[in-house]
């Protein structure tokens, strides 16, 4: 009893003196809930891992994101999260990539208990692409059915005529019968689209070409490697494809790796960990989700990762860092802050 009292007293003193010394609660591993609403301020730079508020002053709630560029506007789609629960897919828009306007819930879960996307299902890593032939925006999501943990391992497809939605659910399935968890979409220069997904209990990473309307997978579907990787993020640079993935350690960060290929279906060559700087061996506390090619700027790419907070998923943070090519080697260096002038160098 006496020990407990002394311990609490000591922790209190430690906390007060640490705060006085200018240490943040995050540095100390103490979780304080951030303000969910602030007076909005115009942002002029990226501050990876810091709180990121939208133009209304609310915390951006869009995790495992994917970004679609339409003309000069970027649309950020991401998981709407509660402390643990999944609440559909949120969408934000921006012209400068720093300041994001909340556009609404792009995909809602269904009130119908018989639907695959009934409330209580889990929607992760949403990605949206535009189909020029059908003139539809097509969203793919990693879907887990209500009450089944991560056992369903499905892909889900929804469409909309408007980029911000509302997206209408089309179907959920295992591509060619394969389990499908962490995923991404990639549209190549010829307009062909691909689904990259973790399969066979995350042992395999597979790639499947999509049908012309992007609504389903074709049977052109192959294992690209069996190395227990997830969180795939893909880009094309100088006629080579680069694929960043993470290991499989739940919400905990781990070492990233890059694979390179001349062809999307392989062979893919493992290059190694692209991260450089403090915390590089654990992806700076994050996990890959997307690589954004800058609109109208050749050879400029932003690496996007989630810094998950499994105790309060909506308070997971975003890491945006520039991709650099040093001697043709893809490198991602830690920066406390940076802005798009970086790409003018
Ligand atoms: C790691 C995945 O990358 C996340 O999207 C999420 O599914 C977590 N696992 C769940 O533990």
């Amino acid at each position: 009893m006496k020990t407990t009292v002394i311990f609490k007293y000591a922790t209190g003193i430690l906390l007060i003196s640490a705060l006085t010394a200018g240490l943040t609660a995050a540095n100390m591993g103490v979780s304080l809930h951030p303000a969910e609403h602030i007076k909005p301020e115009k942002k002029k730079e990226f501050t990876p891992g810091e709180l990121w508020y939208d133009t209304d002053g609310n915390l951006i709630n869009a995790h495992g994101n994917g970004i679609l560029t339409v003309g000069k506007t970027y649309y950020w789609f991401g998981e709407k999260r509660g402390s643990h629960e999944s609440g559909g897919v949120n969408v934000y828009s921006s012209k400068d990539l720093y300041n994001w306007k909340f556009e609404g819930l792009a995909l809602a879960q269904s009130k119908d208990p018989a639907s695959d996307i009934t409330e209580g299902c889990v929607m992760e890593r949403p990605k949206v692409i535009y189909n020029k032939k059908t003139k539809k925006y097509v969203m793919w999501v990693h879907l887990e059915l209500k009450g089944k943990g991560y056992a369903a391992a499905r892909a889900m497809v929804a469409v909309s005529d408007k980029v911000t939605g509302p997206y209408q659910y089309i179907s959920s399935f295992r591509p060619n019968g394969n389990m499908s968890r962490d995923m991404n979409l990639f549209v190549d220069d010829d307009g062909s689209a691909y689904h990259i997904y973790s399969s066979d209990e995350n042992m395999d990473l597979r790639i499947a070409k999509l049908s012309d309307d992007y609504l389903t997978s074709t049977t052109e579907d192959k294992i690209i490697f069996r190395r227990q990787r997830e969180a795939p993020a893909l880009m094309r640079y100088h006629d080579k494809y680069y694929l960043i993935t993470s290991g499989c350690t739940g919400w905990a960060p781990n070492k990233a790796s890059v694979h390179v290929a001349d062809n999307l279906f392989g062979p893919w060559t493992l290059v190694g960990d692209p991260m450089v700087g403090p915390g590089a061996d654990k992806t700076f506390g994050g996990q890959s989700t997307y690589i954004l090619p800058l609109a109208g700027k050749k050879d400029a790419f932003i690496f996007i990762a989630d810094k998950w907070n499994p105790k309060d998923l909506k308070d997971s943070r975003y890491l945006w860092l520039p991709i650099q090519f040093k001697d043709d080697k893809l490198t991602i260096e830690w920066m406390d802050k940076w802005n798009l002038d970086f790409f003018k160098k």
Side-chain angles (χ1 to χ4, degrees), residues 64 79 81 122 124-125 142 144 150 181-183 198 202 230-232 246-252 254 287-288 306 308 310 313:
E79 301 163 28
R81 289 290 192 165
V122 176
E124 293 187 347
R125 300 182 177 269
H142 163 203
E144 294 296 345
Y150 280 85
R181 291 203 182 117
D182 278 12
M183 53 144 277
S198 297
N202 298 340
E230 60 182 6
S246 77
C248 300
T249 52
W251 301 110
N254 55 50
Q287 187 186 29
S288 41
D306 295 288
W308 298 112
L313 282 177

Side-chain angles (χ1 to χ4, degrees), residues 11 23 31 34 59 78 104 140 142 157 176 258 289 312 338:
T11 314
L23 292 174
S31 169
L59 275 176
W140 283 58
H142 163 203
V157 180
N176 296 302
V258 184
T289 183
D312 185 9
W338 66 283

Side-chain angles (χ1 to χ4, degrees), residues 212-273:
D212 285 350
D213 57 11
Y214 299 168
L215 297 184
T216 191
S217 331
T218 67
T219 51
E220 248 184 280
D221 178 338
K222 221 187 117 184
I223 297 177
I224 53 172
F225 46 77
R226 187 168 171 82
R227 294 201 170 124
Q228 206 176 7
R229 307 296 294 174
E230 60 182 6
L234 195 58
M235 59 178 272
R236 182 174 171 164
Y237 171 74
H238 290 181
D239 277 336
K240 288 203 185 296
Y241 299 93
Y242 292 81
L243 174 61
I244 300 181
T245 59
S246 77
C248 300
T249 52
W251 301 110
N254 55 50
K255 197 195 272 291
S257 73
V258 184
H259 286 78
V260 184
D262 294 325
N263 186 303
L264 282 170
F265 285 93
W268 285 87
T269 308
L270 176 61
V271 181
D273 183 0

Side-chain angles (χ1 to χ4, degrees), residues 96-117:
D96 63 8
L97 293 175
Y98 310 120
N99 299 284
W100 291 88
K101 174 176 178 287
F102 180 55
E103 296 283 355
L105 189 64
L107 175 69
Q109 299 189 347
S110 169
K111 299 268 178 222
D112 175 0
S115 164
D116 285 356
I117 62 161

